[in-house]
């Protein structure tokens, strides 16, 4: 007798004295449990661990022409000079804003008093659904800085431009925004999760999460993440569910998005900059994207999460273990993928 037959016999014996409608409900539930696999965990689809000595520009673009909210910084692509704005060392990325006068190349040589960094994954690393996670800490509590880990829909009319239907103005469909973690130094005891779109109440709203230990929490490492599918977007800090939004009736957030990491200074939202401030640093340990799986029970998306299983020659041996990657179809192979 197969598994389904055993379940059927047991259920039939329990259903003799209940109503017809109740029977239909329980039988439907039974069918769902038998035929639908449980998505228990996550597997890594992409991760940047910042393990080299410079930014991997195959994953990122420095958005040097960004100029919003009356902010005072000039964004650069400098990851090599003594006053660089990107420092990859000791396994982390440091995005550094510096108080220094510059004629900003990305803004037609406008004079600016601060330099900083803003990178995005547009046209290089874009994601549709799953868990997007980053481990971040900030080094400063002085007023005026505004670091962020956020996302945009990939048809937005911003650089880099491949003219692949990326002509949509923010925050229309195709150019909506999700803020996974935004922190204002002038409001230091909370951080912001938020949405910008044209879908109204069906597309999420701002939620401010109070750090358990107040402003000093931003100085410590924390894992910030969203879990996203076509019906729901949930935000997490470490193991804490911050907020969850039903977006099943939202016309946006159902197409690929890319991640941005940046440090803004001053302006409408960053506010007054502490006059003693000369340098601020946002440190990032990794940025990862995971897809749901029923092959494990991993709850995070990081360096310890199993990678997506891939077996290109269909011989039952995973690519990263396969020493004979072009095995002919139908051949019996050993544990190394060879025959």
């Amino acid at each position: 007798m197969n598994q389904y037959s055993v379940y059927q016999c047991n259920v039939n014996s329990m259903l003799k004295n209940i109503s017809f409608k109740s029977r239909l409900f329980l039988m439907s539930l039974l069918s769902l449990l038998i035929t639908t696999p449980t998505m228990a965990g996550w597997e890594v689809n992409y991760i940047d661990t910042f393990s080299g000595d410079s930014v991997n520009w195959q994953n990122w673009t420095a958005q040097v022409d960004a100029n919003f909210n009356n902010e005072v910084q000039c964004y650069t692509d400098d990851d090599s000079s003594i006053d660089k704005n990107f420092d990859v060392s000791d396994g982390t990325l440091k995005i550094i804003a510096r108080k220094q006068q510059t004629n900003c190349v990305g803004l037609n040589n406008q004079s600016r008093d601060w330099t900083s960094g803003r990178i995005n994954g547009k046209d290089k690393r874009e994601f549709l659904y799953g868990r997007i996670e980053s481990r971040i800490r900030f080094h400063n509590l002085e007023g005026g800085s505004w670091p962020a880990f956020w996302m945009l829909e990939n048809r937005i009319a911003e650089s880099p431009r491949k003219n692949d239907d990326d002509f949509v103005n923010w925050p229309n469909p195709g150019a909506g925004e999700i803020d996974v973690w935004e922190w204002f130094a002038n409001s230091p005891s909370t951080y912001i999760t938020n949405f910008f779109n044209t879908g109204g109440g069906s597309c999420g709203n701002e939620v401010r999460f109070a750090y358990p230990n107040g402003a000093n929490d931003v100085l410590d490492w924390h894992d910030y993440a969203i879990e996203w599918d076509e019906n729901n977007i949930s935000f997490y800090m470490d193991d804490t569910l911050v907020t969850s939004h039903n977006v099943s009736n939202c016309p946006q957030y159902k197409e690929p998005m890319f991640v941005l990491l940046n440090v803004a200074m001053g302006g409408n939202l960053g506010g007054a900059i502490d006059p003693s401030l000369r340098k601020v640093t946002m440190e990032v340990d990794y940025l990862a994207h995971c897809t749901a799986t029923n092959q494990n029970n991993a709850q995070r998306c990081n360096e310890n999460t199993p990678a997506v299983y891939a077996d290109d020659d269909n011989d039952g041996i995973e690519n990263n273990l396969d020493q004979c990657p072009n095995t002919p179809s139908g051949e019996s192979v050993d544990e190394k993928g060879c025959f």
Side-chain angles (χ1 to χ4, degrees), residues 121-279:
K122 187 177 183 222
D123 295 326
K124 295 179 177 179
R125 299 292 182 178
E126 297 176 345
F127 315 118
L128 178 62
Y129 306 144
R131 181 177 170 102
I132 298 96
E133 178 177 315
S134 188
R135 187 169 183 252
I136 297 170
R137 67 178 177 181
F138 199 63
H139 290 203
N140 303 83
L141 293 178
E142 299 94 338
S145 61
W146 173 21
F149 160 33
W150 51 302
M151 301 172 64
L152 289 169
E153 292 178 305
N154 72 339
R155 292 188 292 119
I156 193 167
E158 291 187 15
S159 61
R161 297 292 297 274
K162 290 177 62 176
N163 294 328
D164 51 351
D165 199 27
D166 54 353
F167 303 102
V168 181
N169 291 321
W170 177 94
N172 293 299
E177 175 179 335
I178 299 175
D179 300 329
V180 185
W181 173 81
E182 286 197 338
W183 181 80
F184 300 122
N186 286 315
S187 183
S189 62
T190 65
Y191 78 85
I192 296 172
T193 67
N194 205 0
F195 299 82
F196 292 94
N197 52 70
T198 58
S202 65
C203 291
N205 56 275
E206 177 183 311
V207 172
R208 297 201 176 205
F209 178 75
Y211 278 116
N213 300 305
N216 284 335
D217 270 356
V218 81
L219 303 175
D220 297 327
W221 287 111
H222 293 289
D223 301 329
Y224 302 98
I226 66 167
E227 294 182 1
W228 165 37
D229 61 37
E230 61 183 342
N231 297 313
N232 190 80
I233 300 176
S234 297
F235 296 74
Y236 292 85
M237 187 187 85
D238 302 328
D239 294 316
T240 299
L241 174 63
V242 172
T243 183
S244 189
H245 303 262
N246 184 328
V247 294
S248 57
N249 294 318
C250 175
Q252 297 186 229
Y253 310 126
K254 294 175 173 59
E255 58 185 291
M257 302 187 74
F258 60 89
V259 166
L260 302 93
L261 300 167
N262 71 289
V263 178
M265 297 298 299
N268 302 347
L269 300 173
I273 300 174
D274 188 312
S276 69
L277 201 54
R278 293 295 180 268
K279 183 177 80 169

